[in-house]
Amino acid sequence: MRIRNFAGQVLVEGQPGYDEARRIWNADIDRRPAIVARCTGPGDVVAALGHARRERLAVSVRGGGHGVAGSAIVDGGLVIDLSHMRRIEVDASAGTVTAQGGVLWGELDQATQRFGLATVGGIVTHTGIAGLTLGGGMGWLSRRHGLTVDNLVAAEVVTADGRVMTASDHENPDLFWALRGGGGNFGVATEFSYRVHPVGPVVAGPIVWPLDAAPEVLMGHQRVMQNAPRDLMTVLVLRRAPAGKPFPRDLHVVPVCMIIACWSGQPELSDRALAPLRCITPGARDLTSSKPYGVHQSALDEGVPPGWHYYWKTALFDHLDDRLVETMTDHAARIDSPRSYDIIFHLGGAVQDVAEDATAYPNRSSTYNLNINGVWTAEDGPEVGAAQKAWVRAHYEAVMGSKRGQYVNFVDRAQADAAELAFGKAKYARLARIKARYDPDNLFRHNVNIRPAAVAQAAP
C-alpha cells in the first residue's frame, strides 16, 4: 500500500505493527481501520488527507489516542497518526513551548520543568496534548492560569483541503477561536505553542475521609474554595481507595471521599492554604507532601492505565446543593469495583476570568465538572463490564436535572446531538459557520461533531 508523496509509514491489516497501531488507551474500543498513516510532519498529513479524499475514505486523527470515545480510530477508514511527531522546543526567554501533535503531557512537562516552567496540562501524563488542548484542557494549574486553551498562543493546522495554516490571534483568528475548545472539527493540528509559567515544587496529594463523610466534605469544600487562593487547585474523588501508594494498607479498597489538593504557590504558605480543607470534618487522613510538579502530574497514572476498559458520562454544575451531594454519595456507595469512581474537578479562578465568548470552550461559569467513570479489565469479564456501564448510566440519569452542560473531552460514545448540548445554540451556530469555511464537506466528523452550517441547515 502506497500513498502519493507520503514519507511516513503506511500500515494495513496483516502487516507487522498494524494491531499495535489500532490499539488505543480505552480497550473497550476495538476498530479496524483500512489504513494507518503514521506521519512524520505536516507534509505527510497533507498527503494522507489527499489520499482519503481521492479514495473517499472516512478520516480520524490520532494524537495520544487517549480519548475515551475512541475517536482516534475509524473502522474501515484512514487514521492520520501523529504519534511519531514528538518534537518539543522550549524558549524560556520568550516564555513559550512549542510541541508537535503526537507529544504526551508527561513529555511536555519533563521538557518545561528542566527550566522550572510548566503550562496547564492534563492530570494524567500519558494523555496526548492535542486532544486535551482542542477540547479545552484543565489541570492542576487551572485556577491559577486558566484552561490549556487560555495558554495556547498559536497552532499549526492542516485543513481538509490540504492547506497548512497558522492559527493565532493575528492569523486566521476565527480558526484560532474555534480550535480553543471546539475539538478536532476544523483540521489536523500538527503543532501547538503555549505560554509557560514558573512552577516549582508543589505540596499535593489526597486528604481522605470515609465515604459516609462525603456530604460534609463536599459541602465544606465548596465553602472553603469560595475564598481559597488561586494557587490551590482541588479535585474531589468518590471511590474505593486504590491498593497502592500513597494509601496505607488499612484504606485499600475501602469506600472513601478524597480531596486531592495541589498547592503551587510559595511552599511556606502551603499549611495555611491547606489547613481549612484538612479541618472540614473530623477523621481526615492527610497524605499530602512536597514533591516536584512532574511527580504530582503522574500521581493518577496507575489508576487509569492503557488497556483497561472505560465508560464515562460527564456533567457540569454551577454549584453543589444538598440534594446533588446526597445523590452523588448514594451512587458512589453502590460502586462494587475497585476501579470505578466519581471525579469532580473544581474550577473557577482564572478559568472564569476569560469572557464566555473569547474562545469556543463553553460554560466557563460552571464551577464543577463531574466525570462518572466505569472501569473494568478484560479479566473481569463482560458481566462486570455490563454492571459498570449500568452504574454509570443510572448515576448520570440521577444527576441530569442539575447539570449545566457537558465537557467535550469527557463525552463517551459521542451521540448525534453531543456538540449542540455541549456548546449551546449560539456558540454551536458560530462554530458551524467556521466549520463551513474550513471543512465544508465535514471530512473531520469522527468526533463530537459540529456540522458545517450548510449541512446543519439542510438537516431535518
Side-chain angles (χ1 to χ4, degrees):
M1 174 67 207
R2 293 179 62 85
I3 294 176
R4 188 187 310 166
N5 299 321
F6 189 82
Q9 183 183 24
V10 177
L11 295 170
V12 298
E13 190 161 8
Q15 283 187 315
Y18 170 83
D19 281 329
E20 178 187 357
R22 72 183 185 87
R23 288 192 198 103
I24 53 176
W25 170 74
N26 186 1
D28 208 45
I29 306 297
D30 184 17
R31 297 179 183 145
R32 295 183 175 274
I35 303 169
V36 177
R38 282 187 162 164
C39 301
T40 62
D44 280 348
V45 175
V46 173
L49 285 174
H51 183 84
R53 290 195 305 272
R54 288 191 299 273
E55 299 298 322
R56 300 180 181 234
L57 292 171
V59 169
S60 68
V61 183
R62 175 179 183 149
H66 208 280
V68 67
S71 57
I73 303 294
V74 57
D75 260 330
L78 185 148
V79 177
I80 295 176
D81 187 348
L82 309 181
S83 63
H84 286 203
M85 295 172 55
R86 308 285 267 270
R87 187 181 71 250
I88 303 171
E89 297 177 2
V90 179
D91 187 338
S93 61
T96 60
V97 60
T98 299
Q100 289 185 303
V103 169
L104 307 181
W105 278 110
E107 297 166 341
L108 192 73
D109 291 333
Q110 186 177 32
T112 57
Q113 279 285 280
R114 292 192 187 105
F115 300 89
L117 302 169
T119 194
V120 178
I123 64 172
V124 173
T125 63
H126 47 76
T127 306
I129 67 169
L132 183 134
T133 300
L134 295 172
M138 57 189 69
W140 295 115
L141 303 176
S142 283
R143 281 176 43 82
R144 180 176 172 182
H145 295 301
L147 300 169
T148 306
V149 292
D150 300 331
N151 293 273
L152 185 69
V153 295
E156 178 185 78
V157 182
V158 181
T159 58
D161 59 1
R163 290 176 291 165
V164 182
M165 309 181 72
T166 297
S168 70
D169 280 332
H170 308 292
E171 297 182 73
N172 305 300
D174 61 337
L175 178 59
F176 189 52
W177 181 89
L179 291 175
R180 288 177 290 166
N185 275 282
F186 307 95
V188 182
T190 53
E191 188 173 271
F192 300 85
S193 294
Y194 307 94
R195 279 186 295 274
V196 289
H197 313 275
V199 178
V202 298
V203 177
I207 306 168
V208 187
W209 291 264
L211 182 62
D212 59 13
E216 293 83 5
V217 172
L218 269 62
M219 295 303 287
H221 166 273
Q222 182 166 245
R223 290 192 298 272
V224 168
M225 294 305 293
Q226 285 176 351
N227 298 307
R230 293 186 173 197
D231 292 340
L232 179 62
M233 177 73 187
T234 58
V235 170
L236 299 152
V237 181
L238 309 177
R239 64 168 301 163
R240 292 176 179 267
K245 294 180 178 180
F247 301 96
R249 187 177 297 275
D250 65 302
L251 286 181
H252 290 181
V253 201
V254 172
V256 296
C257 170
M258 294 184 273
I259 298 174
I260 305 179
C262 179
W263 170 257
S264 59
Q266 294 175 275
E268 63 271 19
L269 299 180
S270 63
D271 280 341
R272 183 188 303 174
L274 293 171
L277 295 176
R278 293 165 175 157
C279 299
I280 284 174
T281 193
R285 301 281 287 273
D286 184 4
L287 305 179
T288 60
S289 62
S290 178
K291 62 196 74 173
Y293 171 73
V295 170
H296 183 59
Q297 277 284 81
S298 64
L300 301 182
D301 286 5
E302 290 186 7
V304 287
W308 286 5
H309 294 245
Y310 300 90
Y311 182 78
W312 293 0
K313 294 290 184 183
T314 180
L316 295 167
F317 306 106
D318 289 340
H319 66 280
L320 303 181
D321 57 33
D322 291 337
R323 182 179 177 182
L324 179 57
V325 166
E326 181 181 355
T327 300
M328 288 193 292
T329 303
D330 177 61
H331 282 271
R334 302 179 195 179
I335 297 173
D336 58 4
S337 163
R339 300 181 179 90
S340 298
Y341 57 92
D342 278 353
I343 184 167
I344 309 161
F345 293 79
H346 179 266
L347 300 170
V351 175
Q352 296 178 351
D353 287 345
V354 179
E356 175 65 32
D357 61 356
T359 67
Y361 177 84
N363 298 308
R364 281 185 178 271
S365 62
S366 296
T367 304
Y368 291 94
N369 187 334
L370 167 66
N371 193 14
I372 307 167
N373 294 337
V375 188
W376 67 101
T377 69
E379 290 74 20
D380 292 331
E383 297 83 4
V384 172
Q388 300 316 300
K389 288 182 177 181
W391 170 75
V392 171
R393 293 189 193 106
H395 191 345
Y396 179 68
E397 288 294 326
V399 302
M400 272 188 66
S402 302
K403 80 170 187 175
R404 170 76 177 273
Q406 55 190 11
Y407 175 41
V408 167
N409 281 346
F410 289 165
V411 173
D412 188 339
R413 317 297 199 276
Q415 65 266 29
D417 59 348
E420 293 178 70
L421 290 173
F423 294 104
K425 289 183 179 180
K427 190 164 280 190
Y428 182 87
R430 182 176 176 183
L431 287 164
R433 292 192 296 271
I434 298 171
K435 175 84 167 185
R437 179 175 180 181
Y438 292 99
D439 183 17
D441 298 321
N442 204 13
L443 180 66
F444 300 112
R445 60 183 179 274
H446 197 66
N447 46 36
V448 179
N449 191 236
I450 297 163
R451 294 172 294 166
V455 177
Q457 291 165 5

